[in-house]
Amino acid sequence: MIKTISISDLLNKPTEKVEFVVDRFEEMEEPENIEFPHNHNFYEILWITNGSSKHTIDFKNYEIEADTLFFISPGQLHLFEEWQDINGYCIAFTEDFFLHIFQNKNILFELSYLDNMYENPFIKIKQQDKSKLKAIVDLLLNEKAHETIQALIYVFLKQIQTLFSEKGNSQNSKHQIVIFKQFKNLVDENFTKSLALTEYANQLNVTLHNLNSIVKSVCNKTTSEIINERTILEAKRLLQFSDDNISEISYKLGFEDSSYFARYFKKHTSSSPLDFRKNIF
Amino acid sequence: MIKTISISDLLNKPTEKVEFVVDRFEEMEEPENIEFPHNHNFYEILWITNGSSKHTIDFKNYEIEADTLFFISPGQLHLFEEWQDINGYCIAFTEDFFLHIFQNKNILFELSYLDNMYENPFIKIKQQDKSKLKAIVDLLLNEKAHETIQALIYVFLKQIQTLFSEKGNSQNSKHQIVIFKQFKNLVDENFTKSLALTEYANQLNVTLHNLNSIVKSVCNKTTSEIINERTILEAKRLLQFSDDNISEISYKLGFEDSSYFARYFKKHTSSSPLDFRKNIF
């Protein structure tokens, strides 16, 4: 159903192994063989300096204006409209490439704005912060040594975290953010299995009370809400991008019968599964 | 005899633990309680932008002019004259601080120009390379987060390695440079013990033939010459900075009798130990 694209697809070099790219939009060719929507197997940071661009990530629409940084994490369902007439920078890298020189393999996880559907995936850059970010991007554009590029991407990512923190979005500790994202990954793997919440807590080596309060603190939702939202997201993906009928979908999502699934879907989206599917096409 | 100074001494903060400093000379106070010469327990990079400055490192004199990067490694005997009237940047860091975020703990060792008395400890910066180095230093001057500073110092150090490589000084592989520096450290620990060359090779897990060819390739000297030079350096240090008599010095250096030490010293320096001591004062 939904294809996962790699950086080599983005660059029209499907047969090569490409682990990173740093380039100006205006220097890049439009990708020829990318279907929309798609998943990424890499992180992508777009810095739009001129023009605007519409994106849909996991059924949420974003209109990205000039002077905005926009983040796409692996596994997110991405739809990018209007590639033309925008200027700016594209920085894309795989997790493996980026982590190569670093001892702490959690450093991407420690950034609040990546891999986080509960934080807005963009930030408007203030005038006074531009020159610093521009200096880092200029160094990146002129660099060839992989290890130096990894260090510079780190400097860039940490600088962006500072911008989020100044906005007051990220008062959580790195530890909390890492636990939250580990929980989110566990949910990705287990949401169809009706795992008890204590099971999630056990696997993360925290108490359920701890897990609940970390999740609340990071995204102001309950632990159950996260699992429900993940289930609904998958239901929407299957309704929109597969030909499975409702009972096949409810089976795939781990529901015992399709009428219970239909009630569950309606409760969370105010629409029946069939209506949702009809309204898309 | 010779004191080892730390970054806190450099900053007139002897009671604090300071692991790095990035600052402009013109903003720094002159260190009050530093005796010359001294050893560093940290790496220091001086970028002189205006004025000139005289240094003596391990009995070699250097006159450093504007637009020059100058490197001092831990353990080197350093004498810095004429602190006044120079402009530029001082970047100092301990090995522990710098390596913190990195997986590969050999990355300082892999740089040909640090910890290497056989490479000139300075490089003149060409006009076209200045803006890149300046951009990195500006980011460093404005950064507070330790991990970002570590990444930026890495970018700076790697950039400098590129300048050395462009000069054609460093055609050796990282592996060769690491083995060479490990050999140098082993010599530091063992030069008074008359260790056989095969013992050095065994401890480095290379054949003696391999060790000889790596040393030759990195600094165009023989393995024995390196050991002799280290012995002579220590002899000079003791003659200049201790009150030990010749027979005490020859004993400390592992010689069986002081007349053999005197012949050895004369052969390598064209001066007797006593003449060397007299000529200094």
Side-chain angles (χ1 to χ4, degrees), chain B:
Chain B
M1 43 183 279
I2 299 166
K3 268 193 75 172
T4 296
I5 67 157
S6 62
I7 298 177
S8 55
D9 296 317
L10 201 68
L11 302 181
N12 291 320
K13 296 175 178 171
T15 58
E16 287 178 35
K17 190 174 182 217
V18 189
E19 294 204 283
F20 74 96
V21 62
V22 179
D23 210 346
R24 290 188 180 81
F25 285 125
E26 46 272 39
E27 314 266 313
M28 291 170 78
E29 287 174 41
E30 186 156 358
E32 281 164 20
N33 295 308
I34 292 187
E35 291 169 25
F36 287 95
H38 53 244
N39 290 317
H40 287 189
N41 71 358
F42 54 91
Y43 290 91
E44 189 172 3
I45 300 175
L46 308 172
W47 179 357
I48 316 278
T49 56
N50 253 313
S52 74
S53 162
K54 285 180 186 163
H55 297 258
T56 305
I57 290 192
D58 286 335
F59 302 95
K60 288 185 201 165
N61 299 317
Y62 302 98
E63 178 146 4
I64 304 298
E65 295 172 355
D67 297 330
T68 304
L69 291 163
F70 189 70
F71 316 102
I72 306 154
S73 301
Q76 289 182 330
L77 193 66
H78 181 220
L79 206 149
F80 185 167
E81 292 171 27
E82 302 180 34
W83 172 272
Q84 275 96 9
D85 298 331
I86 58 169
N87 294 110
Y89 308 98
C90 167
I91 296 170
F93 54 90
T94 65
E95 183 180 12
D96 273 1
F97 171 79
F98 171 68
L99 288 178
H100 183 70
I101 56 169
F102 298 105
Q103 176 153 284
N104 173 8
K105 300 304 182 194
N106 266 337
I107 51 179
L108 281 172
F109 252 39
E110 289 174 359
L111 301 165
S112 68
Y113 56 97
L114 294 182
D115 296 299
N116 187 356
M117 59 197 280
Y118 301 101
E119 177 97 65
N120 271 333
F122 61 86
I123 190 167
K124 185 103 183 162
I125 312 167
K126 291 186 210 140
Q127 202 55 34
Q128 69 262 35
D129 296 320
K130 248 192 229 176
S131 60
K132 214 183 218 182
L133 291 171
K134 181 69 169 49
I136 305 168
V137 171
D138 282 342
L139 288 165
L140 269 168
L141 286 167
N142 288 299
E143 187 54 57
K144 288 198 181 64
H146 285 195
E147 291 166 339
T148 310
I149 288 169
Q150 288 147 12
L152 282 169
I153 291 176
Y154 180 69
V155 173
F156 192 62
L157 295 173
K158 291 282 279 187
Q159 188 55 40
I160 295 169
Q161 182 67 66
T162 311
L163 304 185
F164 272 98
S165 303
E166 281 167 4
K167 270 182 67 188
N169 295 27
S170 302
Q171 296 310 314
N172 299 291
S173 70
K174 284 180 186 172
H175 170 74
Q176 287 178 313
I177 291 168
V178 169
I179 295 281
F180 173 72
K181 291 189 181 174
Q182 285 173 339
F183 169 65
K184 250 194 57 202
N185 280 1
L186 265 189
V187 172
D188 276 345
E189 291 162 17
N190 296 291
F191 70 95
T192 61
K193 293 177 199 154
S194 317
L195 218 58
L197 293 180
T198 47
E199 266 303 309
Y200 283 104
N202 286 346
Q203 290 202 39
L204 296 167
N205 290 316
V206 293
T207 64
L208 179 56
H209 176 78
N210 245 328
L211 177 61
N212 286 336
S213 78
I214 288 171
V215 170
K216 192 80 192 170
S217 162
V218 173
C219 69
N220 200 26
K221 306 212 178 207
T222 68
T223 315
S224 309
E225 279 175 300
I226 301 286
I227 299 170
N228 285 333
E229 287 185 0
R230 183 66 188 85
T231 309
I232 293 295
L233 174 65
E234 197 67 18
K236 286 180 173 176
R237 288 179 175 179
L238 291 166
L239 287 165
Q240 179 162 7
F241 303 108
S242 81
D243 299 324
D244 295 345
N245 65 34
I246 305 299
S247 94
E248 285 165 329
I249 290 174
S250 64
Y251 177 78
K252 280 188 179 169
L253 296 175
F255 286 85
E256 285 181 18
D257 66 275
S258 55
S259 65
Y260 176 59
F261 164 65
R263 284 200 307 279
Y264 176 92
F265 190 86
K266 180 141 195 180
K267 180 181 157 195
H268 289 286
T269 67
S270 314
S271 156
S272 77
L274 277 178
D275 284 342
F276 178 84
R277 179 170 264 174
K278 267 188 229 148
N279 286 332
I280 293 163
F281 301 105

